[in-house]
């Protein structure tokens, strides 16, 4: 895949570090077995939003039963 951040075979690790500039953070390595951080954040948000929606719907049902 072209979006990998691994250096090319002709480039040495020293060359790739120099190309990012002094003081720059090293590029993240692509790991195929690990999901991106954004996936974990979205799943957490979806789970929280689902539980909040379920709580609101349960509250509406309980209020309707009490009348």
């Amino acid at each position: 895949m072209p979006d990998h951040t691994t250096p090319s075979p002709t480039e040495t690790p020293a060359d790739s570090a120099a190309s990012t500039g002094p003081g720059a953070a090293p590029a993240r390595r692509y790991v195929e077995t690990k999901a991106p951080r954004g996936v974990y954040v979205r799943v957490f948000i979806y789970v929280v939003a689902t539980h909040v929606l379920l709580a609101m719907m349960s509250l509406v049902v309980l209020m309707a039963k009490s009348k």
Side-chain angles (χ1 to χ4, degrees):
M1 291 185 165
D3 61 344
H4 291 180
T5 58
T6 57
S8 66
T10 58
E11 191 176 78
T12 63
D15 292 339
S16 66
S19 65
T20 58
R28 292 185 184 176
R29 282 197 65 187
Y30 175 78
V31 180
E32 187 172 341
T33 59
K34 187 174 180 186
R37 186 185 315 170
V39 173
Y40 294 116
V41 172
R42 280 185 296 221
V43 167
F44 178 75
I45 290 171
Y46 294 155
V47 167
V48 169
T50 304
H51 282 87
V52 168
L53 182 63
L54 180 63
M56 288 174 41
M57 291 171 59
S58 299
L59 184 62
V60 168
V61 168
L62 288 173
M63 289 172 54
K65 274 187 172 181
S66 67
K67 287 188 175 186

